[in-house]
Amino acid sequence: MKPQLLGLLAWFFMSEVLAHNTMGILLVNQTATPEWLYVRDVMGPNYEDEIFPWGQYHKTIPQMDVHHPDITCGRKAFAAAANTSTADVIAGSEVGFRVSWDAYGPGGEFYHRGPAQIYLSRAPGDDVENYRGDGDWFKIAVAGPKDNNSWLLSGEGDFNFSIPLTTPPGKYLMRIEQFWPTDSYNYSQWFVNCAHVNIMGEGGGSPAGFARFPGTYEIDDPGIRLPGNQMVLGSVKVEDMRLLEYKPPGPAVWAG
């Protein structure tokens, strides 16, 4: 086999295996805040710390167990809670998450083809630094399909959305989950981070449609395990794809 072809195959294999991401940067009105200032820092599985010692790559390794406690806010995230600051945000304003690291170093993009969802959970007594996220969560945003063959976040590095205007004021965990749903059994890959936010405004709304993490998702839920005609770059012909029929897991979005 020619060296050029071997090199191309090696690059493709490594990009598929290594190209994950983590979202350690909070965006407030499209302005980036310092990495891990308002987002709970995460860690990698121990074996990844040994194999991939450079930079923060180990933090990008996906989770693959929707029943594990780390699915709440990311791997070992609660250990960083006390050192995470809380960002003031105005209800009705735009916030977001930015990919802070991927296989190629700082920054990057949402590599895996799939949706992203945003949830909020009010900290009991507004004590967000000591809140594990084991209460109720309500969904406020979804980035789903762009068309029948692609996802909105494919190739993007930011996911911006608005805090519902009537969100009750208080301190919350704000959770992003970006994941790769597949048509294979128990093979979804999850990239999860949580920010500390103090939502300010008049409130007046009553959030509804609650979820728990872990607890709400199952490995065979629609939106997690896909039919073949929703698997981007799968075996189904482009003209037969039906990605616009995709329904994400969890409750409906609460718009306020």
Coordinates of all heavy atoms in Angstrom, one line a residue, residues 144-201:
G144 N -31.5 20.9 16.8 CA -31.8 19.6 16.2 C -31.3 19.5 14.7 O -30.2 20.0 14.4
P145 N -32.1 18.9 13.9 CA -31.7 18.8 12.4 C -31.7 20.1 11.7 O -32.6 21.0 12.0 CB -32.8 17.8 11.9 CG -33.4 17.2 13.0 CD -33.4 18.2 14.1
K146 N -30.8 20.3 10.8 CA -30.8 21.4 9.8 C -31.7 21.1 8.6 O -32.4 21.9 8.1 CB -29.4 21.7 9.4 CG -29.3 22.9 8.5 CD -27.8 23.2 8.2 CE -27.7 24.4 7.2 NZ -26.2 24.6 6.9
D147 N -31.5 19.9 8.1 CA -32.3 19.3 7.0 C -32.3 17.8 7.1 O -32.0 17.3 8.2 CB -31.7 19.8 5.7 CG -30.3 19.6 5.5 OD1 -29.8 18.5 5.9 OD2 -29.5 20.4 5.1
N148 N -32.7 17.1 6.1 CA -32.8 15.7 6.2 C -31.5 15.0 6.3 O -31.4 13.7 6.5 CB -33.6 15.1 5.1 CG -35.1 15.1 5.4 OD1 -35.5 14.8 6.5 ND2 -35.9 15.3 4.4
N149 N -30.4 15.7 6.1 CA -29.1 15.0 6.0 C -28.0 15.7 6.9 O -26.8 15.3 6.8 CB -28.6 15.0 4.6 CG -29.3 14.1 3.7 OD1 -29.2 12.9 3.7 ND2 -30.3 14.6 2.9
S150 N -28.4 16.7 7.7 CA -27.4 17.3 8.5 C -28.0 17.9 9.8 O -29.2 18.2 9.9 CB -26.6 18.4 7.8 OG -27.5 19.4 7.4
W151 N -27.1 18.2 10.8 CA -27.5 18.7 12.1 C -27.1 20.2 12.1 O -26.1 20.6 11.6 CB -26.8 18.0 13.2 CG -27.2 16.5 13.3 CD1 -26.6 15.5 12.7 CD2 -28.4 16.0 14.0 NE1 -27.3 14.3 13.1 CE2 -28.4 14.6 13.8 CE3 -29.4 16.6 14.8 CZ2 -29.3 13.8 14.4 CZ3 -30.3 15.8 15.4 CH2 -30.3 14.4 15.2
L152 N -27.9 21.0 12.9 CA -27.6 22.4 13.0 C -26.2 22.7 13.5 O -25.6 23.7 13.1 CB -28.6 23.1 13.9 CG -30.0 23.3 13.4 CD1 -31.0 23.8 14.5 CD2 -30.0 24.4 12.3
L153 N -25.7 21.9 14.5 CA -24.4 22.3 15.1 C -23.2 21.6 14.4 O -22.1 21.9 14.8 CB -24.4 21.9 16.6 CG -25.4 22.7 17.5 CD1 -25.2 22.2 18.9 CD2 -25.1 24.1 17.4
S154 N -23.4 20.9 13.3 CA -22.3 20.3 12.7 C -21.4 21.4 12.1 O -21.8 22.3 11.4 CB -22.8 19.4 11.5 OG -23.5 18.3 12.0
G155 N -20.1 21.3 12.5 CA -19.1 22.2 12.1 C -19.1 23.5 12.9 O -18.3 24.4 12.7
E156 N -20.0 23.7 13.8 CA -20.1 24.9 14.7 C -19.3 24.7 16.0 O -19.1 23.6 16.5 CB -21.6 25.2 15.0 CG -22.5 25.5 13.8 CD -22.1 26.7 13.0 OE1 -21.5 27.7 13.7 OE2 -22.3 26.8 11.8
G157 N -19.0 25.9 16.5 CA -18.3 25.8 17.8 C -19.1 26.4 19.0 O -18.7 26.2 20.1
D158 N -20.2 27.1 18.6 CA -21.0 27.8 19.7 C -22.5 27.3 19.5 O -22.9 27.0 18.4 CB -21.0 29.3 19.5 CG -19.7 30.0 19.7 OD1 -18.8 29.3 20.1 OD2 -19.6 31.2 19.4
F159 N -23.1 27.2 20.7 CA -24.6 27.0 20.7 C -25.2 28.1 21.6 O -25.0 28.1 22.8 CB -24.9 25.6 21.3 CG -26.4 25.3 21.4 CD1 -27.3 26.0 20.7 CD2 -26.8 24.3 22.3 CE1 -28.7 25.7 20.8 CE2 -28.2 24.0 22.4 CZ -29.1 24.7 21.7
N160 N -25.8 29.1 20.9 CA -26.5 30.2 21.6 C -28.0 30.0 21.7 O -28.6 29.4 20.7 CB -26.1 31.5 20.9 CG -24.7 32.0 21.1 OD1 -24.3 32.4 22.2 ND2 -23.9 31.9 20.0
F161 N -28.6 30.5 22.7 CA -30.0 30.3 23.0 C -30.4 31.4 24.0 O -29.6 32.1 24.5 CB -30.3 28.9 23.5 CG -29.4 28.5 24.7 CD1 -29.8 28.8 26.0 CD2 -28.2 27.9 24.4 CE1 -29.0 28.5 27.0 CE2 -27.4 27.6 25.5 CZ -27.8 27.9 26.8
S162 N -31.7 31.5 24.2 CA -32.2 32.5 25.1 C -32.8 31.9 26.4 O -33.4 30.8 26.3 CB -33.3 33.4 24.4 OG -32.8 34.1 23.3
I163 N -32.6 32.6 27.5 CA -33.2 32.2 28.8 C -34.7 32.7 28.7 O -35.0 33.8 28.4 CB -32.5 32.9 30.0 CG1 -31.1 32.5 30.0 CG2 -33.3 32.6 31.2 CD1 -30.8 31.1 30.4
P164 N -35.7 31.8 28.9 CA -37.1 32.2 28.8 C -37.3 33.4 29.7 O -36.9 33.5 30.9 CB -37.8 30.9 29.3 CG -36.9 29.8 28.9 CD -35.5 30.3 29.2
L165 N -38.1 34.3 29.2 CA -38.3 35.6 29.8 C -38.9 35.5 31.2 O -38.6 36.3 32.1 CB -39.2 36.5 28.9 CG -39.4 37.9 29.4 CD1 -38.1 38.7 29.5 CD2 -40.4 38.6 28.5
T166 N -39.8 34.5 31.4 CA -40.5 34.4 32.7 C -39.9 33.4 33.6 O -40.5 33.0 34.6 CB -42.0 34.1 32.5 OG1 -42.1 32.8 31.8 CG2 -42.7 35.1 31.6
T167 N -38.6 33.0 33.4 CA -38.0 32.1 34.3 C -37.9 32.7 35.7 O -37.5 33.8 35.9 CB -36.5 31.8 33.8 OG1 -36.6 31.3 32.5 CG2 -35.9 30.8 34.7
P168 N -38.3 31.9 36.7 CA -38.3 32.4 38.1 C -36.8 32.8 38.4 O -35.9 32.0 38.2 CB -38.8 31.2 38.9 CG -39.7 30.5 38.0 CD -39.0 30.6 36.6
P169 N -36.6 34.0 39.0 CA -35.2 34.4 39.4 C -34.6 33.4 40.4 O -35.3 32.9 41.3 CB -35.4 35.8 39.9 CG -36.8 35.9 40.3 CD -37.6 35.0 39.4
G170 N -33.3 33.3 40.3 CA -32.6 32.4 41.3 C -31.4 31.8 40.7 O -31.0 32.1 39.5
K171 N -30.7 31.0 41.5 CA -29.5 30.4 41.0 C -29.7 29.0 40.5 O -30.4 28.2 41.2 CB -28.4 30.4 42.1 CG -28.0 31.8 42.5 CD -26.9 31.8 43.6 CE -26.4 33.2 43.9 NZ -25.4 33.2 44.9
Y172 N -29.2 28.7 39.3 CA -29.5 27.5 38.6 C -28.2 26.8 38.2 O -27.2 27.5 37.9 CB -30.3 27.7 37.4 CG -31.7 28.2 37.6 CD1 -32.0 29.5 37.9 CD2 -32.8 27.3 37.4 CE1 -33.3 29.9 38.1 CE2 -34.1 27.7 37.5 CZ -34.4 29.0 37.9 OH -35.7 29.4 38.1
L173 N -28.3 25.5 38.0 CA -27.3 24.8 37.1 C -27.9 24.8 35.7 O -29.1 24.6 35.5 CB -27.2 23.3 37.5 CG -26.3 23.1 38.7 CD1 -26.3 21.6 39.1 CD2 -24.9 23.5 38.5
M174 N -27.1 25.2 34.7 CA -27.5 25.2 33.3 C -26.7 24.1 32.6 O -25.5 24.2 32.5 CB -27.3 26.6 32.7 CG -27.9 26.7 31.3 SD -27.9 28.4 30.7 CE -26.2 28.8 30.5
R175 N -27.4 23.2 32.1 CA -26.7 21.9 31.6 C -26.8 21.9 30.1 O -27.9 22.0 29.5 CB -27.4 20.7 32.2 CG -27.0 19.4 31.7 CD -27.8 18.3 32.4 NE -27.4 16.9 32.1 CZ -27.9 16.2 31.0 NH1 -28.8 16.8 30.3 NH2 -27.4 15.0 30.8
I176 N -25.7 21.6 29.4 CA -25.7 21.3 28.0 C -25.4 19.8 27.8 O -24.5 19.3 28.5 CB -24.7 22.2 27.2 CG1 -24.8 21.8 25.7 CG2 -23.3 22.1 27.8 CD1 -23.9 22.7 24.8
E177 N -26.2 19.2 27.0 CA -25.8 17.8 26.5 C -25.8 17.9 25.0 O -26.7 18.3 24.3 CB -26.9 16.8 27.0 CG -28.3 17.1 26.5 CD -29.3 16.0 27.0 OE1 -29.1 15.5 28.1 OE2 -30.2 15.8 26.2
Q178 N -24.6 17.5 24.5 CA -24.5 17.3 23.0 C -24.1 15.9 22.8 O -23.3 15.3 23.5 CB -23.4 18.2 22.4 CG -23.5 18.4 20.9 CD -22.7 17.3 20.2 OE1 -21.6 16.9 20.7 NE2 -23.1 16.9 19.0
F179 N -24.9 15.2 22.0 CA -24.7 13.7 21.9 C -24.8 13.2 20.5 O -25.3 13.8 19.6 CB -25.6 13.0 22.9 CG -27.1 13.1 22.6 CD1 -27.8 12.1 21.9 CD2 -27.8 14.2 23.0 CE1 -29.1 12.2 21.6 CE2 -29.1 14.4 22.7 CZ -29.8 13.4 22.1
W180 N -24.2 12.0 20.4 CA -24.2 11.3 19.1 C -25.2 10.2 19.2 O -24.8 9.1 19.8 CB -22.8 10.8 18.7 CG -22.7 10.1 17.4 CD1 -23.3 10.5 16.3 CD2 -21.8 9.0 17.1 NE1 -23.0 9.6 15.3 CE2 -22.0 8.7 15.7 CE3 -20.9 8.3 17.8 CZ2 -21.3 7.7 15.1 CZ3 -20.2 7.3 17.2 CH2 -20.4 7.0 15.9
P181 N -26.4 10.3 18.7 CA -27.3 9.2 18.6 C -26.9 8.3 17.4 O -26.5 8.8 16.4 CB -28.7 9.8 18.4 CG -28.3 11.1 17.6 CD -27.0 11.5 18.0
T182 N -27.1 7.0 17.6 CA -26.8 6.1 16.5 C -27.9 5.0 16.3 O -28.8 4.9 17.2 CB -25.4 5.3 16.8 OG1 -25.7 4.3 17.7 CG2 -24.4 6.3 17.3
D183 N -27.7 4.2 15.3 CA -28.7 3.1 15.1 C -28.2 1.8 15.7 O -28.8 0.8 15.5 CB -29.0 3.0 13.6 CG -27.8 2.8 12.7 OD1 -26.6 2.8 13.3 OD2 -27.9 2.6 11.5
S184 N -27.1 1.9 16.4 CA -26.5 0.7 17.1 C -27.0 0.7 18.5 O -27.3 1.7 19.1 CB -25.0 0.8 17.1 OG -24.5 0.8 15.8
Y185 N -27.1 -0.5 19.1 CA -27.6 -0.7 20.4 C -26.6 -0.2 21.5 O -25.4 -0.6 21.4 CB -27.9 -2.2 20.7 CG -28.4 -2.4 22.1 CD1 -29.7 -2.1 22.5 CD2 -27.5 -3.0 23.0 CE1 -30.1 -2.4 23.8 CE2 -28.0 -3.3 24.3 CZ -29.3 -2.9 24.7 OH -29.7 -3.2 26.0
N186 N -27.0 0.7 22.3 CA -26.2 1.2 23.5 C -24.9 1.7 23.0 O -23.8 1.4 23.6 CB -26.0 0.1 24.5 CG -25.5 0.6 25.8 OD1 -25.7 1.8 26.1 ND2 -25.0 -0.2 26.6
Y187 N -24.9 2.6 22.0 CA -23.6 3.1 21.5 C -23.7 4.7 21.4 O -22.8 5.3 20.7 CB -23.2 2.5 20.1 CG -21.8 2.7 19.8 CD1 -20.8 2.0 20.5 CD2 -21.4 3.6 18.8 CE1 -19.5 2.2 20.3 CE2 -20.0 3.7 18.5 CZ -19.1 3.0 19.2 OH -17.7 3.2 19.0
S188 N -24.6 5.3 22.0 CA -24.7 6.8 22.0 C -23.5 7.3 22.8 O -23.0 6.7 23.8 CB -26.0 7.3 22.6 OG -26.2 6.8 23.9
Q189 N -23.0 8.5 22.4 CA -21.9 9.1 23.1 C -22.3 10.5 23.5 O -22.9 11.3 22.8 CB -20.7 9.2 22.1 CG -20.2 7.9 21.7 CD -18.9 8.0 20.9 OE1 -18.2 8.9 20.9 NE2 -18.6 6.9 20.1
W190 N -22.0 10.8 24.8 CA -22.5 12.0 25.5 C -21.4 13.0 25.9 O -20.4 12.5 26.5 CB -23.4 11.6 26.7 CG -24.6 10.8 26.3 CD1 -24.6 9.5 25.9 CD2 -25.9 11.3 26.1 NE1 -25.8 9.1 25.6 CE2 -26.7 10.2 25.7 CE3 -26.5 12.5 26.3 CZ2 -28.1 10.3 25.4 CZ3 -27.9 12.6 26.0 CH2 -28.6 11.5 25.6
F191 N -21.6 14.3 25.6 CA -20.7 15.3 26.0 C -21.5 16.3 26.9 O -22.4 17.0 26.3 CB -20.1 16.0 24.8 CG -19.5 15.0 23.9 CD1 -20.2 14.4 22.9 CD2 -18.2 14.6 24.0 CE1 -19.7 13.4 22.0 CE2 -17.6 13.7 23.2 CZ -18.3 13.1 22.2
V192 N -21.3 16.4 28.2 CA -22.1 17.1 29.1 C -21.3 18.1 29.9 O -20.2 17.7 30.4 CB -22.9 16.1 30.0 CG1 -23.8 16.9 31.0 CG2 -23.7 15.1 29.2
N193 N -21.8 19.3 30.1 CA -21.2 20.3 31.0 C -22.3 21.1 31.7 O -23.4 21.2 31.1 CB -20.3 21.2 30.2 CG -19.1 20.5 29.7 OD1 -19.0 20.2 28.5 ND2 -18.1 20.2 30.5
C194 N -22.0 21.7 32.8 CA -22.9 22.5 33.6 C -22.3 23.8 34.0 O -21.2 23.9 34.5 CB -23.4 21.8 34.8 SG -24.6 20.4 34.5
A195 N -23.1 24.9 33.8 CA -22.6 26.2 34.2 C -23.5 26.7 35.4 O -24.6 26.2 35.7 CB -22.8 27.2 33.1
H196 N -22.9 27.6 36.3 CA -23.6 28.2 37.4 C -24.1 29.5 36.9 O -23.3 30.4 36.4 CB -22.6 28.4 38.5 CG -22.2 27.2 39.2 ND1 -21.5 27.3 40.5 CD2 -22.2 25.9 38.9 CE1 -21.2 26.1 40.8 NE2 -21.6 25.2 39.9
V197 N -25.4 29.7 37.0 CA -26.0 31.0 36.5 C -27.0 31.5 37.6 O -27.7 30.8 38.2 CB -26.7 30.9 35.2 CG1 -25.7 30.6 34.0 CG2 -27.8 29.9 35.2
N198 N -27.0 32.8 37.7 CA -27.9 33.5 38.6 C -28.9 34.3 37.6 O -28.5 35.3 37.0 CB -27.2 34.5 39.5 CG -28.2 35.3 40.4 OD1 -29.2 34.8 40.8 ND2 -27.9 36.6 40.6
I199 N -30.1 33.8 37.5 CA -31.0 34.3 36.5 C -31.8 35.5 37.2 O -32.4 35.3 38.3 CB -32.0 33.3 36.0 CG1 -31.2 32.2 35.2 CG2 -33.1 33.9 35.1 CD1 -32.0 31.1 34.7
M200 N -31.8 36.6 36.6 CA -32.4 37.8 37.2 C -33.5 38.3 36.3 O -33.4 38.2 35.0 CB -31.4 38.9 37.3 CG -30.2 38.5 38.3 SD -29.0 39.9 38.5 CE -28.4 40.1 36.9
G201 N -34.6 38.7 36.9 CA -35.8 39.2 36.1 C -37.0 39.1 36.9 O -37.0 38.8 38.1

